């Protein structure tokens, strides 16, 4: 799949963009630790060149915190097209400003910042409305344009399908348009609370970190009842501790029937915060294995069946291509409003979440951090994260530049200590 998709992209050529994924390395030949993709379930820690200012709007960030996201598992399994061997992964990171391009005037060296996972130009129609993930000027992928009719913004560390930009699972990152895509972090907000502004807190059926954030935000916005669906015991327990009613689909395999029992008349709103790479039914397992579909419609169909007539369904989960057996009849006949939420427009929400919720203490994102490991652990971490062992959810990954763990946050550990 990768060879074919890369050949197609090369044949189609690139769309012109304001920024470009390639970067200069430092003249002194300095290297850094970084996690790179080499094939399905094959990620390796490599020594890569430290990036230097390449375009005048660049900022080089010295990483103090990064993580692995559920959507990274799609790359891990080779399910996103246009991956190339040696691609540096990771789209959630924060750190300290190390170098600044001549056009950047709003940041200073040594300043703490968090990066948005998307690369926005700050000037196009969408960026002016803070819809940063829809930026028209930073993703050169002709293949994505052919598949979707348009292109998303460029993303850090998420294949050449989203631009081919080197990612944040590294000790240094080049941030194009750094004056737009970096948010200064106040001194009284520790890294563990700021890091997840880069993606998860702006993204928010599964009860992983995003699903739990969705539940928390729903309650903050006045929802009187929230039901969370998963099968991982640690996730269900955490959800219950946060005031969410857990529904274990390993015990209730007919999710729709169970929801109709506990919520007669149907749900007002359903949100899919799950994933597309783990089909439940045999038919989808076969079709996915034979590459007859790229995505699975099961959770979306469960939402359509579970909401009341005139209900609303939203998709936060990362879908990338095509699916079979979609229940379009239920969508139409029940008058349901189904919306793809798009990749999180981080720029629209990160200041509000930081200053209205995190700083005053109304929302503490550290509830979802289960472990802290060193960057050297990344290859082992991906395997553990994929298998969901040791109660792993959101992991804070430190570099040699990180501060010690903040009060109340997990101490440094090794993956093999909690996967035995």
């Amino acid at each position: 799949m990768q060879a074919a998709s890369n050949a197609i992209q090369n044949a189609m050529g690139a769309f012109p963009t304001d920024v470009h994924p390639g970067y200069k390395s430092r003249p002194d030949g300095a290297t850094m630790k970084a996690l790179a993709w080499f094939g399905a379930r094959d990620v390796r820690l490599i020594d890569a060149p430290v990036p230097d200012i390449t375009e005048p709007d660049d900022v080089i960030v010295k990483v103090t915190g990064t993580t692995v996201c559920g959507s990274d598992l799609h790359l891990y399994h080779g399910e996103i097209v246009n991956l190339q061997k040696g691609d540096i992964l990771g789209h959630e990171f924060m750190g300290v400003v190390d170098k600044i391009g001549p056009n950047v005037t709003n940041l200073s060296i040594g300043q703490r910042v968090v990066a948005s996972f998307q690369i926005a130009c700050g000037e196009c129609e969408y960026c002016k409305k803070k819809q940063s993930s829809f930026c028209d000027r930073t993703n050169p992928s002709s293949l994505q344009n052919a598949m979707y009719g348009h292109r998303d913004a460029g993303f850090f560390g998420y294949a050449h399908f989203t631009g081919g930009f080197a990612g944040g699972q590294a000790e240094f990152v080049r941030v194009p348009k750094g004056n737009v895509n970096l948010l200064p972090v106040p001194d009284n907000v520790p890294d563990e609370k700021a890091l997840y502004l880069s993606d998860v807190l702006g993204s928010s059926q599964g009860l992983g970190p995003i699903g739990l954030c969705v539940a928390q935000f729903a309650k903050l916005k006045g929802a009187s009842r929230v039901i969370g669906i998963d099968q991982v015991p640690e996730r269900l327990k955490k959800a219950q501790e946060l005031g969410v009613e857990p529904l274990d689909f390993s015990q209730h395999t007919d999710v729709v029937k169970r929801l109709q029992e506990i919520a007669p008349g149907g749900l007002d709103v359903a949100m899919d915060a799950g994933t597309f790479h783990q089909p439940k039914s045999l038919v989808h397992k076969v079709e996915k294995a034979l590459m007859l579909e790229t995505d699975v419609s099961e959770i979306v169909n469960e939402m359509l069946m579970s909401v009341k007539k005139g209900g609303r369904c939203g998709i936060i989960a990362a879908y990338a291509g095509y699916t079979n057996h979609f229940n379009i009849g239920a969508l139409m006949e029940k008058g349901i409003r189904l919306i793809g939420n798009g990749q999180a427009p981080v720029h629209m929400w990160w200041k509000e979440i930081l200053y209205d919720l995190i700083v005053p203490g109304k929302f503490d994102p550290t509830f979802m951090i289960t472990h802290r490991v060193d960057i050297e652990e990344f290859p082992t971490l991906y395997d553990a994260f994929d298998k969901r062992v040791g109660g792993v959810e959101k992991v804070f990954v430190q570099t040699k530049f990180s501060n010690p763990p903040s009060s109340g946050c997990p101490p440094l550990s090794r993956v093999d200590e909690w996967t035995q």
Side-chain angles (χ1 to χ4, degrees), residues 69-131:
C69 177
S71 57
D72 289 325
L73 294 180
H74 307 317
L75 303 173
Y76 183 63
H77 287 275
E79 295 176 329
I80 301 296
V81 296
N82 288 151
L83 279 160
Q84 297 179 13
K85 291 183 178 182
D87 283 348
I88 296 176
L89 304 180
H91 57 275
E92 294 178 90
F93 64 96
M94 68 169 298
V96 175
V97 173
D98 188 61
K99 282 192 173 186
I100 296 175
N103 288 356
V104 179
T105 59
N106 62 333
L107 297 170
S108 57
I109 292 174
Q111 191 169 13
R112 293 174 64 232
V113 290
V114 60
S116 66
F117 76 88
Q118 63 246 198
I119 299 164
C121 73
E123 299 170 351
C124 71
E125 170 191 356
Y126 295 102
C127 287
K128 288 177 180 177
K129 294 184 288 187
K130 300 297 183 182
Q131 295 175 329

Side-chain angles (χ1 to χ4, degrees), residues 120-361:
C121 73
E123 299 170 351
C124 71
E125 170 191 356
Y126 295 102
C127 287
K128 288 177 180 177
K129 294 184 288 187
K130 300 297 183 182
Q131 295 175 329
S132 47
S133 57
F134 291 161
C135 178
D136 267 337
R137 300 181 181 177
T138 57
N139 183 3
S141 175
S142 300
L143 180 57
Q144 186 178 123
N145 199 82
M147 289 178 63
Y148 300 162
H150 297 86
R151 303 177 313 286
D152 281 334
F155 298 162
F156 287 104
Y158 214 76
H160 296 258
F161 192 64
T162 64
F165 294 89
Q169 292 170 356
E171 292 178 323
F172 291 87
V173 184
R174 170 196 169 228
V175 179
K177 297 286 183 180
N179 55 320
V180 174
N181 296 302
L182 293 170
L183 178 68
V185 177
D187 291 339
N188 63 340
V189 176
D191 284 7
E192 291 93 337
K193 291 185 179 181
L195 170 60
Y196 305 104
L197 288 163
S198 60
D199 179 11
V200 172
L201 297 182
S203 296
S204 321
Q205 186 133 326
L207 286 174
I210 290 179
L212 290 173
C213 285
V214 169
Q216 290 289 82
F217 288 140
K219 291 169 65 181
L220 283 170
K221 294 295 184 180
S224 60
R225 186 183 184 192
V226 180
I227 301 167
I229 305 167
D230 211 300
Q231 66 172 346
V232 180
E234 293 87 355
R235 291 182 171 186
L236 293 163
K237 180 181 178 182
K238 173 62 76 172
Q240 194 164 25
E241 291 171 353
L242 295 171
V244 177
E245 296 180 41
L247 196 166
D248 185 345
F249 69 78
S250 68
Q251 301 297 317
H252 300 280
T253 55
D254 190 335
V255 171
V256 174
K257 179 181 178 181
R258 182 57 180 163
L259 286 171
Q260 291 172 342
E261 291 171 349
I262 64 177
L267 307 173
D268 294 303
V269 179
M271 301 289 288
D272 175 8
T275 183
F276 69 81
H277 79 272
Q278 293 180 321
K280 294 191 287 185
S281 66
L282 178 61
V283 64
H284 280 290
K285 289 178 181 178
V286 171
E287 290 176 346
K288 201 139 188 265
L290 296 176
M291 297 190 71
L292 298 175
E293 64 177 0
T294 60
D295 303 87
V296 176
S297 59
E298 291 167 318
I299 293 178
V300 176
N301 286 341
E302 288 174 352
M303 290 199 300
L304 296 173
M305 294 286 286
S306 301
V307 296
K308 61 178 57 175
K309 289 175 282 189
R312 292 171 290 158
C313 297
I315 300 175
I316 299 173
Y319 292 93
Y322 305 92
T323 185
N324 300 325
H325 314 293
F326 173 68
N327 193 346
I328 195 171
L331 175 67
M332 183 273 168
E333 296 292 348
K334 293 175 68 176
I336 295 168
R337 299 297 180 262
L338 172 65
I339 184 169
N341 292 37
Q343 296 286 348
V346 170
H347 293 196
M348 185 177 292
W349 303 114
W350 59 353
K351 287 184 180 179
E352 177 181 336
I353 294 171
L354 176 59
Y355 289 104
D356 293 352
L357 297 177
I358 294 177
V359 170

Side-chain angles (χ1 to χ4, degrees), residues 22-33:
Y23 67 79
K24 297 177 183 176
S25 56
R26 293 198 175 173
D28 62 4
T31 62
M32 64 178 181
K33 298 294 183 185

Side-chain angles (χ1 to χ4, degrees), residues 20-25 51-60 101 174:
H20 305 90
Y23 67 79
K24 297 177 183 176
S25 56
D52 204 356
I53 298 297
T54 304
E55 295 177 321
D57 295 313
D58 287 352
V59 172
I60 306 301
R174 170 196 169 228

